[in-house]
Amino acid sequence: MEQIVESMSKQIRRVMEDQNFLTPLYTRYAKGKDTIYVIDVPYLRSETVYIKVSEKVLHFSCTDSRGYKYRLLIPLPAEFQNPDVQVSRIKGRVILRFQTSNS
């Protein structure tokens, strides 16, 4: 059993070293005019969070306290014409609240 665990650990480390970044898990909620994205990054270092909305794509990146880099690209729905975005952080989660405009 120990050999299997060690072999799997080596494979995981090798894959992680080969990639420059990891993709964090996220969930999307719709609530009235608001659309909320909850992005989960364990051991998040809040000072490394980078968020940009451009050309209907949300760009998210950050680093955790173990040195792993995360990156996420989310295509945004068409109704997000110049959305108002509120960003908050609770422990290892980043919460993005988009309020759609009625254009």
XYZ file of all heavy atoms in Angstrom:
853
model
N 0.826 -1.186 0.000
C 0.000 0.000 0.000
C 0.879 1.262 0.000
O 0.576 2.231 -0.689
C -0.923 -0.040 1.220
C -1.925 1.040 1.238
S -3.090 0.772 -0.086
C -4.460 1.647 0.523
N 1.944 1.248 0.791
C 2.846 2.401 0.858
C 3.489 2.675 -0.502
O 3.680 3.836 -0.876
C 3.915 2.172 1.917
C 3.380 2.233 3.335
C 4.456 1.934 4.365
O 5.647 2.173 4.069
O 4.098 1.478 5.462
N 3.834 1.603 -1.225
C 4.434 1.783 -2.544
C 3.450 2.433 -3.519
O 3.841 3.286 -4.312
C 4.901 0.434 -3.101
C 6.098 -0.136 -2.373
C 6.448 -1.523 -2.903
O 5.627 -2.189 -3.522
N 7.683 -1.948 -2.638
N 2.192 2.045 -3.430
C 1.169 2.629 -4.302
C 1.003 4.113 -3.998
O 0.967 4.948 -4.908
C -0.173 1.884 -4.150
C -0.042 0.460 -4.690
C -1.297 2.625 -4.868
C -1.237 -0.428 -4.404
N 0.937 4.447 -2.712
C 0.779 5.843 -2.305
C 1.984 6.660 -2.756
O 1.842 7.766 -3.299
C 0.563 5.955 -0.776
C 0.645 7.396 -0.314
C -0.758 5.332 -0.373
N 3.175 6.144 -2.571
C 4.384 6.858 -2.978
C 4.438 7.035 -4.490
O 4.782 8.112 -4.997
C 5.640 6.128 -2.502
C 6.888 6.865 -2.914
C 7.998 6.702 -1.898
O 7.757 6.205 -0.795
O 9.106 7.103 -2.246
N 4.075 6.005 -5.237
C 4.063 6.078 -6.693
C 3.070 7.135 -7.176
O 3.381 7.952 -8.058
C 3.708 4.716 -7.279
O 3.528 4.795 -8.662
N 1.880 7.159 -6.581
C 0.863 8.148 -6.962
C 1.335 9.554 -6.611
O 1.131 10.500 -7.376
C -0.470 7.852 -6.277
C -1.024 6.497 -6.594
S -2.359 6.394 -7.755
C -3.389 7.739 -7.453
N 1.967 9.716 -5.453
C 2.471 11.032 -5.047
C 3.513 11.538 -6.037
O 3.513 12.721 -6.394
C 3.080 10.959 -3.650
O 2.105 10.670 -2.698
N 4.404 10.666 -6.474
C 5.421 11.052 -7.452
C 4.781 11.471 -8.769
O 5.200 12.455 -9.377
C 6.406 9.901 -7.692
C 7.393 9.695 -6.570
C 8.338 8.557 -6.885
C 9.289 8.306 -5.715
N 10.199 7.187 -6.008
N 3.769 10.725 -9.210
C 3.091 11.055 -10.460
C 2.397 12.411 -10.357
O 2.471 13.227 -11.282
C 2.075 9.978 -10.821
C 2.697 8.676 -11.270
C 1.650 7.596 -11.525
O 0.457 7.834 -11.408
N 2.115 6.406 -11.869
N 1.752 12.666 -9.242
C 1.053 13.946 -9.038
C 2.055 15.089 -9.028
O 1.844 16.121 -9.665
C 0.217 13.909 -7.745
C -0.962 12.956 -7.925
C -0.258 15.301 -7.362
C -1.720 12.658 -6.662
N 3.165 14.919 -8.308
C 4.194 15.962 -8.278
C 4.745 16.240 -9.671
O 4.947 17.396 -10.057
C 5.330 15.564 -7.349
C 5.189 16.169 -5.956
C 6.343 15.789 -5.144
N 6.044 14.391 -4.884
C 6.627 13.567 -4.052
N 7.614 13.924 -3.401
N 6.277 12.345 -3.861
N 4.978 15.178 -10.444
C 5.523 15.327 -11.794
C 4.548 16.102 -12.680
O 4.942 17.022 -13.398
C 5.803 13.955 -12.408
C 6.690 14.009 -13.620
C 7.106 12.630 -14.137
N 7.376 11.671 -13.090
C 6.743 10.490 -12.955
N 5.808 10.138 -13.805
N 7.040 9.658 -11.982
N 3.276 15.772 -12.613
C 2.268 16.470 -13.413
C 2.188 17.930 -13.002
O 2.127 18.829 -13.839
C 0.889 15.790 -13.268
C -0.218 16.666 -13.825
C 0.895 14.443 -13.972
N 2.219 18.199 -11.698
C 2.119 19.571 -11.216
C 3.347 20.385 -11.585
O 3.241 21.585 -11.857
C 1.871 19.593 -9.715
C 0.484 19.068 -9.382
S 0.159 18.981 -7.647
C -0.210 20.678 -7.313
N 4.502 19.778 -11.613
C 5.714 20.484 -12.010
C 5.722 20.777 -13.501
O 6.263 21.788 -13.934
C 6.950 19.673 -11.621
C 7.201 19.651 -10.134
C 8.288 18.669 -9.728
O 8.830 17.964 -10.618
O 8.599 18.597 -8.533
N 5.092 19.896 -14.297
C 5.048 20.093 -15.741
C 4.111 21.229 -16.130
O 4.308 21.888 -17.137
C 4.617 18.808 -16.457
C 5.687 17.726 -16.389
O 6.846 18.061 -16.078
O 5.357 16.557 -16.642
N 3.079 21.456 -15.341
C 2.141 22.536 -15.639
C 2.564 23.794 -14.908
O 3.094 23.745 -13.811
C 0.732 22.158 -15.187
C 0.116 21.039 -15.972
C -1.301 20.774 -15.529
O -1.746 21.280 -14.512
N -2.004 19.976 -16.289
N 2.293 24.922 -15.513
C 2.623 26.186 -14.883
C 1.560 26.631 -13.899
O 1.816 27.483 -13.065
C 2.809 27.280 -15.941
C 4.029 27.031 -16.779
O 4.971 26.409 -16.331
N 4.014 27.500 -18.003
N 0.351 26.089 -14.023
C -0.737 26.528 -13.167
C -1.759 25.417 -12.976
O -1.809 24.461 -13.736
C -1.419 27.760 -13.766
C -1.984 27.500 -15.133
C -3.276 27.030 -15.290
C -1.230 27.716 -16.276
C -3.798 26.769 -16.540
C -1.748 27.460 -17.533
C -3.036 26.994 -17.662
N -2.585 25.587 -11.960
C -3.709 24.697 -11.692
C -5.002 25.451 -11.974
O -5.013 26.682 -11.958
C -3.693 24.248 -10.233
C -2.450 23.501 -9.767
C -2.479 23.314 -8.258
C -2.383 22.150 -10.457
N -6.077 24.738 -12.201
C -7.378 25.362 -12.404
C -8.213 25.171 -11.145
O -8.469 24.040 -10.747
C -8.103 24.728 -13.607
O -7.274 24.850 -14.754
C -9.432 25.412 -13.865
N -8.616 26.277 -10.502
C -9.406 26.132 -9.282
C -10.850 25.731 -9.595
O -11.352 25.966 -10.699
C -9.368 27.539 -8.674
C -9.215 28.440 -9.838
C -8.364 27.677 -10.829
N -11.502 25.132 -8.615
C -12.916 24.810 -8.746
C -13.727 26.085 -8.567
O -13.346 26.966 -7.793
C -13.325 23.797 -7.686
C -12.657 22.430 -7.772
C -13.093 21.569 -6.597
C -12.998 21.747 -9.077
N -14.837 26.180 -9.274
C -15.714 27.330 -9.079
C -17.162 26.918 -9.284
O -17.451 25.905 -9.918
C -15.339 28.488 -10.015
C -15.731 28.301 -11.459
C -16.931 28.815 -11.946
C -14.903 27.609 -12.342
C -17.295 28.646 -13.263
C -15.256 27.446 -13.654
C -16.451 27.962 -14.121
O -16.804 27.784 -15.427
N -18.062 27.719 -8.732
C -19.491 27.497 -8.859
C -20.138 28.798 -9.272
O -19.735 29.874 -8.824
C -20.094 27.030 -7.510
O -19.391 25.869 -7.077
C -21.559 26.708 -7.644
N -21.168 28.709 -10.104
C -21.894 29.889 -10.560
C -23.324 29.815 -10.029
O -23.980 28.790 -10.145
C -21.928 29.943 -12.075
C -22.705 31.115 -12.610
C -22.719 31.110 -14.128
N -23.430 32.282 -14.585
C -24.289 32.274 -15.581
N -24.528 31.174 -16.248
N -24.889 33.387 -15.935
N -23.783 30.908 -9.421
C -25.148 31.029 -8.927
C -25.808 32.225 -9.603
O -25.169 33.258 -9.777
C -25.180 31.298 -7.414
C -24.605 30.209 -6.567
C -23.302 30.302 -6.091
C -25.352 29.088 -6.226
C -22.756 29.311 -5.300
C -24.813 28.093 -5.433
C -23.513 28.206 -4.974
O -22.982 27.222 -4.192
N -27.079 32.097 -9.952
C -27.853 33.231 -10.461
C -28.910 33.562 -9.414
O -29.623 32.681 -8.940
C -28.507 32.872 -11.781
N -28.978 34.848 -9.044
C -29.917 35.285 -8.026
C -30.469 36.646 -8.437
O -29.802 37.670 -8.244
C -29.222 35.367 -6.676
C -30.124 35.685 -5.524
C -29.349 35.658 -4.227
C -30.283 35.953 -3.074
N -29.589 35.961 -1.797
N -31.656 36.651 -9.035
C -32.234 37.893 -9.524
C -31.373 38.486 -10.619
O -31.048 37.832 -11.600
N -30.988 39.763 -10.464
C -30.107 40.424 -11.435
C -28.638 40.097 -11.185
O -27.779 40.471 -11.970
C -30.294 41.940 -11.367
C -31.604 42.415 -11.913
C -31.632 43.922 -11.909
C -32.903 44.438 -12.531
N -32.912 45.894 -12.605
N -28.350 39.437 -10.085
C -26.966 39.123 -9.730
C -26.567 37.735 -10.210
O -27.354 36.791 -10.172
C -26.759 39.180 -8.218
C -26.865 40.582 -7.664
O -26.898 41.534 -8.457
O -26.911 40.718 -6.433
N -25.327 37.634 -10.657
C -24.705 36.345 -10.931
C -23.470 36.279 -10.051
O -22.655 37.198 -10.038
C -24.315 36.210 -12.415
O -25.502 36.325 -13.207
C -23.658 34.868 -12.679
N -23.357 35.205 -9.285
C -22.290 35.081 -8.303
C -21.397 33.897 -8.676
O -21.887 32.798 -8.917
C -22.874 34.871 -6.889
C -23.781 36.052 -6.537
C -21.763 34.688 -5.865
C -24.673 35.803 -5.343
N -20.095 34.158 -8.714
C -19.108 33.102 -8.912
C -18.351 32.924 -7.602
O -17.854 33.893 -7.033
C -18.105 33.470 -10.013
C -18.690 33.453 -11.398
C -19.239 34.600 -11.952
C -18.688 32.285 -12.161
C -19.771 34.589 -13.231
C -19.223 32.272 -13.434
C -19.767 33.422 -13.967
O -20.289 33.402 -15.227
N -18.263 31.682 -7.131
C -17.483 31.357 -5.941
C -16.308 30.508 -6.411
O -16.497 29.413 -6.931
C -18.321 30.600 -4.893
C -17.469 30.252 -3.681
C -19.542 31.404 -4.487
N -15.100 31.039 -6.248
C -13.883 30.357 -6.693
C -13.151 29.851 -5.455
O -12.867 30.617 -4.542
C -12.987 31.312 -7.501
C -13.773 31.877 -8.689
C -11.733 30.592 -7.980
C -13.076 32.992 -9.424
N -12.865 28.567 -5.435
C -12.276 27.922 -4.267
C -10.787 27.661 -4.482
O -10.407 26.928 -5.389
C -13.004 26.606 -3.995
C -12.570 25.941 -2.713
O -12.002 26.636 -1.847
O -12.808 24.733 -2.562
N -9.951 28.297 -3.644
C -8.503 28.096 -3.703
C -8.009 27.818 -2.278
O -7.960 28.733 -1.459
C -7.763 29.324 -4.279
C -6.270 29.074 -4.311
C -8.285 29.662 -5.663
N -7.664 26.577 -1.970
C -7.144 26.277 -0.627
C -5.846 27.040 -0.360
O -5.041 27.236 -1.273
C -6.880 24.774 -0.666
C -7.596 24.260 -1.863
C -7.730 25.403 -2.812
N -5.671 27.490 0.859
C -4.456 28.200 1.288
C -4.207 29.473 0.472
O -3.067 29.849 0.214
C -3.225 27.292 1.219
C -3.397 25.987 1.940
C -3.605 24.804 1.233
C -3.376 25.931 3.327
C -3.777 23.601 1.897
C -3.539 24.734 3.997
C -3.746 23.571 3.278
O -3.915 22.388 3.928
N -5.273 30.131 0.079
C -5.197 31.330 -0.759
C -4.379 32.438 -0.108
O -4.537 32.728 1.074
C -6.618 31.848 -1.022
C -6.737 33.175 -1.763
C -6.269 32.992 -3.202
C -8.169 33.656 -1.722
N -3.494 33.046 -0.878
C -2.781 34.265 -0.453
C -3.517 35.426 -1.103
O -3.399 35.654 -2.312
C -1.324 34.224 -0.911
C -0.485 33.244 -0.113
C 0.966 33.210 -0.521
N 1.538 34.540 -0.674
C 2.487 34.830 -1.565
N 2.963 33.901 -2.359
N 2.971 36.054 -1.640
N -4.289 36.149 -0.317
C -5.178 37.172 -0.876
C -4.434 38.278 -1.610
O -4.972 38.876 -2.542
C -6.057 37.764 0.219
O -5.261 38.333 1.229
N -3.199 38.554 -1.244
C -2.456 39.622 -1.919
C -2.055 39.252 -3.345
O -1.601 40.109 -4.106
C -1.215 40.030 -1.107
C -0.147 38.967 -1.005
C -0.321 38.001 0.171
O -1.371 38.038 0.828
O 0.598 37.205 0.401
N -2.224 37.990 -3.742
C -1.844 37.569 -5.089
C -3.033 37.468 -6.038
O -2.852 37.126 -7.206
C -1.136 36.196 -5.054
O -2.066 35.199 -4.615
C 0.082 36.224 -4.151
N -4.233 37.759 -5.566
C -5.433 37.626 -6.399
C -5.433 38.694 -7.502
O -5.242 39.876 -7.241
C -6.717 37.730 -5.552
C -7.953 37.779 -6.437
C -6.808 36.567 -4.590
N -5.641 38.250 -8.735
C -5.714 39.141 -9.897
C -6.995 38.819 -10.641
O -7.249 37.651 -10.982
C -4.506 38.922 -10.807
C -4.598 39.640 -12.126
C -4.321 41.003 -12.217
C -4.970 38.971 -13.280
C -4.401 41.671 -13.423
C -5.054 39.628 -14.495
C -4.778 40.983 -14.561
O -4.863 41.637 -15.750
N -7.825 39.835 -10.900
C -9.088 39.648 -11.602
C -9.201 40.719 -12.678
O -8.970 41.898 -12.418
C -10.281 39.745 -10.639
C -10.201 38.645 -9.595
C -11.606 39.670 -11.402
C -11.107 38.831 -8.427
N -9.577 40.284 -13.880
C -9.755 41.215 -14.979
C -10.904 40.712 -15.847
O -11.007 39.514 -16.106
C -8.475 41.305 -15.814
C -8.571 42.229 -16.994
C -7.254 42.255 -17.754
C -7.370 43.125 -18.991
N -6.134 43.105 -19.772
N -11.767 41.623 -16.276
C -12.841 41.279 -17.194
C -12.545 41.979 -18.511
O -12.424 43.203 -18.553
C -14.219 41.718 -16.658
C -15.313 41.403 -17.665
C -14.519 41.037 -15.334
N -12.392 41.192 -19.571
C -12.137 41.778 -20.887
C -12.729 40.893 -21.970
O -12.622 39.666 -21.899
C -10.642 41.964 -21.128
O -9.993 40.727 -21.208
N -13.351 41.543 -22.931
C -13.895 40.842 -24.103
C -14.705 39.606 -23.729
O -14.470 38.516 -24.233
C -12.781 40.489 -25.076
C -12.052 41.704 -25.610
C -10.959 41.335 -26.590
O -10.963 40.208 -27.096
O -10.100 42.194 -26.835
N -15.636 39.777 -22.815
C -16.559 38.700 -22.406
C -15.868 37.514 -21.735
O -16.372 36.401 -21.748
C -17.376 38.193 -23.608
C -18.167 39.244 -24.303
C -19.341 39.611 -23.469
C -20.194 40.605 -24.238
N -21.080 41.326 -23.408
N -14.690 37.744 -21.159
C -13.974 36.684 -20.454
C -13.499 37.212 -19.105
O -12.947 38.313 -19.025
C -12.760 36.179 -21.273
C -11.977 35.137 -20.492
C -13.207 35.611 -22.607
N -13.732 36.430 -18.073
C -13.211 36.738 -16.748
C -11.867 36.043 -16.602
O -11.760 34.826 -16.793
C -14.173 36.222 -15.668
C -13.630 36.204 -14.243
C -13.485 37.623 -13.723
C -14.518 35.398 -13.346
N -10.820 36.814 -16.314
C -9.479 36.280 -16.084
C -9.229 36.309 -14.580
O -9.314 37.372 -13.967
C -8.417 37.141 -16.778
C -8.591 37.227 -18.257
N -7.901 36.417 -19.111
C -9.378 38.017 -19.014
C -8.254 36.713 -20.353
N -9.150 37.685 -20.311
N -8.916 35.166 -14.000
C -8.642 35.071 -12.567
C -7.325 34.336 -12.400
O -7.080 33.312 -13.040
C -9.757 34.292 -11.861
C -9.455 33.983 -10.426
C -9.749 34.902 -9.435
C -8.869 32.782 -10.054
C -9.468 34.631 -8.112
C -8.585 32.506 -8.738
C -8.885 33.429 -7.763
N -6.465 34.861 -11.528
C -5.235 34.148 -11.192
C -4.847 34.481 -9.754
O -5.222 35.529 -9.225
C -4.096 34.483 -12.151
O -3.749 35.833 -12.041
N -4.103 33.581 -9.141
C -3.623 33.782 -7.781
C -2.569 32.720 -7.464
O -2.303 31.828 -8.269
C -4.764 33.714 -6.768
S -5.483 32.082 -6.611
N -2.003 32.839 -6.285
C -1.023 31.872 -5.780
C -1.437 31.491 -4.372
O -1.955 32.328 -3.631
C 0.386 32.494 -5.751
O 0.699 32.982 -7.063
C 1.441 31.490 -5.347
N -1.214 30.245 -4.015
C -1.528 29.851 -2.637
C -0.263 29.891 -1.783
O 0.834 30.152 -2.284
C -2.230 28.488 -2.572
C -1.353 27.312 -2.965
O -0.118 27.460 -3.039
O -1.905 26.221 -3.184
N -0.426 29.666 -0.487
C 0.711 29.770 0.435
C 1.738 28.657 0.241
O 2.846 28.751 0.758
C 0.218 29.782 1.881
O -0.443 28.573 2.179
N 1.404 27.622 -0.523
C 2.353 26.549 -0.804
C 3.131 26.811 -2.085
O 3.989 26.036 -2.461
C 1.603 25.222 -0.908
C 0.882 24.845 0.392
C 0.029 23.629 0.234
N -0.985 23.928 -0.768
C -1.880 23.064 -1.209
N -1.890 21.839 -0.759
N -2.774 23.419 -2.106
N 2.794 27.919 -2.787
C 3.513 28.274 -4.005
C 2.853 27.814 -5.285
O 3.362 28.076 -6.370
N 1.707 27.148 -5.210
C 1.010 26.708 -6.412
C 0.315 27.896 -7.051
O -0.284 28.725 -6.373
C -0.008 25.615 -6.112
C 0.598 24.337 -5.610
C 0.203 23.784 -4.402
C 1.573 23.675 -6.345
C 0.759 22.613 -3.934
C 2.139 22.497 -5.881
C 1.723 21.969 -4.675
O 2.276 20.811 -4.226
N 0.371 27.965 -8.385
C -0.259 29.046 -9.127
C -1.561 28.538 -9.732
O -1.610 27.422 -10.251
C 0.667 29.543 -10.232
C 1.940 30.142 -9.708
C 2.841 30.560 -10.837
C 4.148 31.100 -10.275
N 5.069 31.483 -11.341
N -2.585 29.372 -9.668
C -3.895 29.032 -10.201
C -4.278 30.037 -11.276
O -3.971 31.220 -11.161
C -4.954 29.076 -9.098
C -4.796 28.000 -8.060
C -3.915 28.161 -6.994
C -5.521 26.831 -8.131
C -3.770 27.183 -6.033
C -5.380 25.840 -7.168
C -4.502 26.020 -6.130
O -4.367 25.045 -5.183
N -4.975 29.553 -12.297
C -5.488 30.435 -13.337
C -6.819 29.885 -13.820
O -6.996 28.678 -13.960
C -4.519 30.547 -14.501
C -5.003 31.548 -15.541
C -3.978 31.888 -16.560
N -3.673 30.704 -17.352
C -2.857 30.712 -18.389
N -2.240 31.818 -18.727
N -2.634 29.619 -19.065
N -7.752 30.802 -14.084
C -9.087 30.412 -14.512
C -9.585 31.433 -15.527
O -9.460 32.640 -15.315
C -10.025 30.381 -13.304
C -11.474 29.996 -13.521
C -11.584 28.558 -14.039
C -12.251 30.135 -12.224
N -10.106 30.954 -16.642
C -10.726 31.797 -17.654
C -12.179 31.351 -17.773
O -12.445 30.182 -18.057
C -10.032 31.657 -19.006
C -8.542 31.987 -19.046
C -7.964 31.674 -20.417
C -8.307 33.431 -18.689
N -13.116 32.284 -17.546
C -14.538 31.956 -17.592
C -15.194 32.829 -18.655
O -15.174 34.058 -18.545
C -15.228 32.216 -16.243
C -14.566 31.410 -15.134
C -16.711 31.893 -16.329
C -15.088 31.739 -13.747
N -15.805 32.218 -19.688
C -16.558 33.018 -20.652
C -17.805 33.579 -19.965
O -18.504 32.853 -19.260
C -16.941 32.038 -21.755
C -16.419 30.710 -21.355
C -15.757 30.822 -20.023
N -18.058 34.869 -20.154
C -19.189 35.509 -19.499
C -20.398 35.559 -20.432
O -20.249 35.687 -21.644
C -18.811 36.927 -19.062
C -17.701 36.993 -18.023
C -17.312 38.437 -17.759
C -18.121 36.319 -16.724
N -21.607 35.465 -19.865
C -22.827 35.526 -20.678
C -22.965 36.858 -21.413
O -22.419 37.881 -20.993
C -23.954 35.375 -19.647
C -23.310 34.765 -18.448
C -21.883 35.221 -18.455
N -23.741 36.863 -22.485
C -23.918 38.048 -23.323
C -24.559 39.209 -22.567
O -24.304 40.367 -22.890
C -24.761 37.698 -24.544
N -25.377 38.923 -21.566
C -26.058 40.005 -20.844
C -25.118 40.816 -19.952
O -25.518 41.801 -19.364
C -27.235 39.483 -20.015
C -26.869 38.573 -18.881
C -26.959 37.096 -19.215
O -27.036 36.744 -20.400
O -26.938 36.291 -18.279
N -23.865 40.432 -19.856
C -22.903 41.197 -19.056
C -22.293 42.315 -19.896
O -21.152 42.253 -20.314
C -21.793 40.291 -18.514
C -22.216 39.394 -17.393
C -21.337 38.487 -16.854
C -23.483 39.434 -16.861
C -21.699 37.647 -15.816
C -23.872 38.604 -15.836
C -22.982 37.713 -15.313
N -23.078 43.358 -20.136
C -22.596 44.546 -20.830
C -22.107 45.512 -19.763
O -22.910 46.059 -19.020
C -23.726 45.193 -21.641
C -24.270 44.324 -22.755
C -23.293 44.229 -23.907
O -22.449 45.099 -24.107
N -23.402 43.156 -24.678
N -20.821 45.706 -19.633
C -20.229 46.579 -18.612
C -20.786 46.263 -17.217
O -21.407 47.110 -16.580
C -20.465 48.050 -18.941
C -19.852 48.425 -20.263
O -18.757 47.996 -20.582
N -20.560 49.206 -21.041
N -20.580 45.049 -16.735
C -21.174 44.674 -15.446
C -20.476 45.361 -14.273
O -19.303 45.708 -14.346
C -20.944 43.164 -15.383
C -19.696 42.958 -16.179
C -19.756 43.992 -17.284
N -21.242 45.552 -13.212
C -20.693 46.045 -11.958
C -20.213 44.807 -11.197
O -20.998 43.896 -10.943
C -21.779 46.787 -11.178
C -21.280 47.283 -9.834
O -20.063 47.540 -9.712
O -22.097 47.411 -8.910
N -18.938 44.738 -10.858
C -18.367 43.558 -10.215
C -17.932 43.906 -8.794
O -17.195 44.864 -8.588
C -17.144 43.022 -10.995
C -16.607 41.762 -10.348
C -17.485 42.774 -12.442
N -18.404 43.120 -7.829
C -17.965 43.265 -6.446
C -17.154 42.025 -6.093
O -17.575 40.908 -6.361
C -19.159 43.385 -5.507
C -20.002 44.613 -5.754
C -21.245 44.624 -4.897
O -21.634 43.614 -4.323
N -21.880 45.780 -4.812
N -16.007 42.244 -5.480
C -15.113 41.145 -5.129
C -14.978 41.085 -3.613
O -14.762 42.104 -2.958
C -13.711 41.342 -5.754
C -12.785 40.198 -5.378
C -13.811 41.494 -7.260
N -15.126 39.882 -3.055
C -14.885 39.693 -1.625
C -14.174 38.359 -1.433
O -14.146 37.520 -2.327
C -16.188 39.748 -0.828
O -17.088 38.760 -1.266
N -13.598 38.192 -0.265
C -12.858 36.968 0.033
C -13.263 36.467 1.405
O -13.358 37.235 2.358
C -11.359 37.237 0.014
C -10.532 35.983 0.205
C -9.060 36.301 0.268
N -8.667 36.888 1.528
C -8.429 36.189 2.650
N -8.564 34.888 2.660
N -8.063 36.798 3.742
N -13.553 35.189 1.483
C -13.856 34.542 2.756
C -12.992 33.289 2.829
O -13.191 32.354 2.057
C -15.344 34.168 2.875
C -16.210 35.413 2.764
C -15.604 33.419 4.165
C -17.686 35.142 2.715
N -12.009 33.324 3.708
C -11.035 32.226 3.856
C -10.443 31.881 2.502
O -9.853 32.727 1.869
C -11.665 31.042 4.566
C -12.048 31.347 5.994
C -12.462 30.116 6.735
C -12.836 30.494 8.157
N -13.227 29.365 8.939
N -10.598 30.650 2.030
C -9.989 30.215 0.772
C -10.886 30.383 -0.434
O -10.693 29.736 -1.447
N -11.883 31.254 -0.337
C -12.814 31.451 -1.450
C -12.846 32.914 -1.874
O -12.855 33.803 -1.049
C -14.211 31.006 -1.045
C -14.296 29.509 -0.869
C -15.678 29.069 -0.471
N -15.724 27.624 -0.324
C -15.404 26.981 0.789
N -15.033 27.648 1.854
N -15.468 25.673 0.840
N -12.900 33.115 -3.174
C -13.072 34.450 -3.736
C -14.484 34.493 -4.303
O -14.885 33.607 -5.056
C -12.036 34.733 -4.841
C -12.292 36.081 -5.485
C -10.634 34.660 -4.277
N -15.246 35.520 -3.925
C -16.623 35.653 -4.366
C -16.716 36.864 -5.283
O -16.360 37.979 -4.904
C -17.578 35.795 -3.162
C -17.514 34.502 -2.353
C -19.001 36.050 -3.625
C -17.449 34.686 -0.911
N -17.185 36.620 -6.503
C -17.369 37.674 -7.497
C -18.862 37.827 -7.739
O -19.529 36.877 -8.143
C -16.676 37.315 -8.805
C -15.204 36.960 -8.705
C -14.700 36.446 -10.039
C -14.410 38.161 -8.269
N -19.395 39.020 -7.500
C -20.826 39.283 -7.694
C -20.966 40.249 -8.863
O -20.529 41.384 -8.789
C -21.438 39.869 -6.438
C -22.925 40.146 -6.566
C -23.478 40.754 -5.284
N -23.327 39.862 -4.169
C -24.284 39.070 -3.692
N -25.467 39.078 -4.251
N -24.055 38.286 -2.658
N -21.569 39.752 -9.953
C -21.831 40.556 -11.133
C -23.274 41.012 -11.097
O -24.171 40.197 -10.905
C -21.622 39.734 -12.407
C -20.191 39.420 -12.709
C -19.567 38.343 -12.108
C -19.490 40.181 -13.607
C -18.249 38.043 -12.381
C -18.168 39.883 -13.905
C -17.550 38.823 -13.289
N -23.511 42.309 -11.302
C -24.870 42.807 -11.426
C -25.074 43.201 -12.876
O -24.365 44.066 -13.392
C -25.120 44.000 -10.504
C -26.583 44.393 -10.490
C -26.855 45.444 -9.446
O -26.033 46.325 -9.200
N -28.006 45.350 -8.825
N -26.004 42.512 -13.529
C -26.231 42.783 -14.936
C -26.963 44.098 -15.113
O -27.786 44.477 -14.295
C -27.058 41.648 -15.590
O -28.289 41.506 -14.893
C -26.314 40.339 -15.574
N -26.640 44.777 -16.193
C -27.289 46.057 -16.478
C -28.433 45.824 -17.449
O -28.372 44.938 -18.296
C -26.292 47.044 -17.063
O -25.756 46.524 -18.264
N -29.470 46.603 -17.330
C -30.598 46.513 -18.263
C -30.395 47.523 -19.380
O -30.817 48.646 -19.298
C -31.930 46.799 -17.541
C -32.295 45.691 -16.591
O -31.860 44.561 -16.765
N -33.098 45.990 -15.598
N -29.690 47.111 -20.437
C -29.404 48.023 -21.547
C -30.401 47.803 -22.655
O -30.773 46.737 -22.961
C -28.013 47.777 -22.111
O -27.056 47.847 -21.090
